Amino acid sequence: MSDEESTTPVSTLGYEQCRDELVDVVRRLEQGGMNLDAALTLWERGEALARRCQEHLDGARARIEAALSAPDGDDETT
């Protein structure tokens, strides 16, 4: 993870960006070798990324459910 990634506000990231950065955060935490403050900062970033990923997934689920529950033809503009 670059310094630019770690300072980008999580709220501005798309799902794929959050997911990819979260994978990197987990990898770095599993490797260890960092001091406690650095590990806690990284953990907090990972928590924020995980929450943002869930927000994206919840939004996608709501859109799918809305599309499935809409009467046939409601999404057509003829």
Side-chain angles (χ1 to χ4, degrees):
M1 172 172 44
S2 70
D3 287 338
E4 182 179 316
E5 285 175 324
S6 65
T7 58
T8 302
V10 172
S11 62
T12 66
L13 299 176
Y15 173 77
E16 290 81 7
Q17 292 170 302
C18 284
R19 181 203 56 215
D20 292 347
E21 189 178 337
L22 182 56
V23 167
D24 188 54
V25 165
V26 170
R27 180 188 54 77
R28 291 177 61 197
L29 287 170
E30 286 176 341
Q31 284 178 346
M34 62 184 80
N35 67 41
L36 181 59
D37 286 335
L40 285 174
T41 298
L42 196 56
W43 177 271
E44 290 166 346
R45 177 77 175 179
E47 287 288 325
L49 290 164
R51 279 191 304 275
R52 185 67 176 144
C53 283
Q54 190 60 54
E55 290 171 3
H56 282 293
L57 292 173
D58 290 344
R61 180 179 296 117
R63 289 177 61 192
I64 290 168
E65 288 172 355
L68 291 174
S69 66
D72 287 343
D74 271 2
D75 60 340
E76 295 180 20
T77 54
T78 49

